[in-house]
Amino acid sequence: MSLSSNAPPSSAADAAPLHPIYAELVTQLAADLSAVTSEPALRTVHARYLGKDGEIRKRLAEALRAAPGPEKRTIGQAGNTALSRGEELFAARLNALHDAARGADLARSVDVTLPGRRTRLGGLHLLTQVRRELESIFAEIGFVVASGPQVESEFYNFEALAMPDDHPARDMQDTFYLQSPPLPGSTGGRLVLRTHTSPVQIRTMLAQPPPVRIIAPGKVYRKDDDPTHSPMFNQIEGLVVDDGVSFADLKGTLLYFARRFFGPSVDIRLRPSFFPFTEPSAEVDVTCVFCQQKGCRLCKGTGYIEILGCGMVDTAVFAHVDAERQRRGLPPAYDPENVSGFAFGMGIDRMAMLRYGVNDLRLLFAGDARFTQMFR
Ligand code: DAH
């Protein structure tokens, strides 16, 4: 809509010529009115010409004073005509501005039929979901969640777990060391990104006497990088220490876990193995969840899939713990004559992959929304 269609009404535009003493003022008023584009500015112009002390009334008063008696009436009437012509011009311009504003408002294109923009909900990452599920499965049978730092000293990560500097088992895990010196007050040794969650076993036993029944989930680091290994991955550690804990307790706990996590029809198999911090040690397989033991690519035709390592806590570990407790002025509490325990460790990522058929570990860490959104 254009302003020209709102030109002043013809009565004002085509009206008879004004008295010469007002004509110029009213022409100026018309010009000033059309120069402004906002209502406040328009009202300012109105006040300047048509107000109580405005130009037209001033001119009227001067002319009346100067005019001889008989002319006063004509000049007064002409003044009123000029005032009402001015008001008409003002009203017309005000209308035009209002129309223009309304026109601009209507011209704005808002499609009120468009659907609203939905706020998208976030979700927990698959690994968080699986970690929480693992935690709650173990919580059901009395385990509490413990944690430790990802930057560990060699003492916790290796030594206290019966892996001294020259132990061949370190080769598999000897990995990212930090250049900074040992932390003040720490038990010493270099600092390393923990290679497993097992150091939380040591931290827990130093912090409390038996009974111990913890699981410790968290990030661990190794010098690995391929479709099934990442330099950072997640483990969950388990430790139980009490009076008279047996291998049967270990086996029963793991069977319970496997059936809760993979389904009631699975079975487990323990194969003799070796870990420096457990004796005896075992690797645990679960019956293949993909082929029901018929043999497939994922179980490599064996009908079993490895899920974790475990064993009875080695007495050497208890000895390291009690020696350190003593060094710290704590009473010894882990005499193998009185207590025994079992431990286990598994990969959270591996559990997630098995459970959901994820074939590349790196998908879990890539942060690709197409993948993460599949598990909400
Ligand atoms: N810490 C071992 C690893 O990272 C896994 C493990 C094996 C943990 C046996 C245990 C255990 O607690 O008893 O390879």
Side-chain angles (χ1 to χ4, degrees), residues 4 6 10 18 26 39 62 81 86 88 93 107 109 111 131 149 210 213 216 219 224 230 254 260 292 309 328 357 368:
S4 59
N6 284 282
S10 52
L18 288 165
V26 174
E39 189 173 329
E62 281 163 16
T81 307
E88 279 169 28
R93 181 64 182 148
S109 50
D111 184 347
R131 191 201 74 226
R213 196 179 289 175
K219 291 188 170 71
D224 287 329
S230 146
L254 295 177
R260 277 287 280 103
Q292 275 68 45
R328 296 184 188 186
D368 185 332

Side-chain angles (χ1 to χ4, degrees), residues 11 38 47 72 74 77 79 83 116 121 170 173-174 197 202 247 256 262 279 289 321-322 336 338 351 361:
S11 63
S38 75
K72 285 192 197 295
T74 322
Q77 278 175 346
L83 283 170
L121 290 180
R170 275 213 192 185
Q173 300 192 2
D174 232 2
T197 44
I202 308 303
F247 202 91
Y256 160 81
F262 290 110
E279 182 61 32
V289 284
V321 167
D322 263 352
N338 304 324
M351 293 297 125
L361 176 68

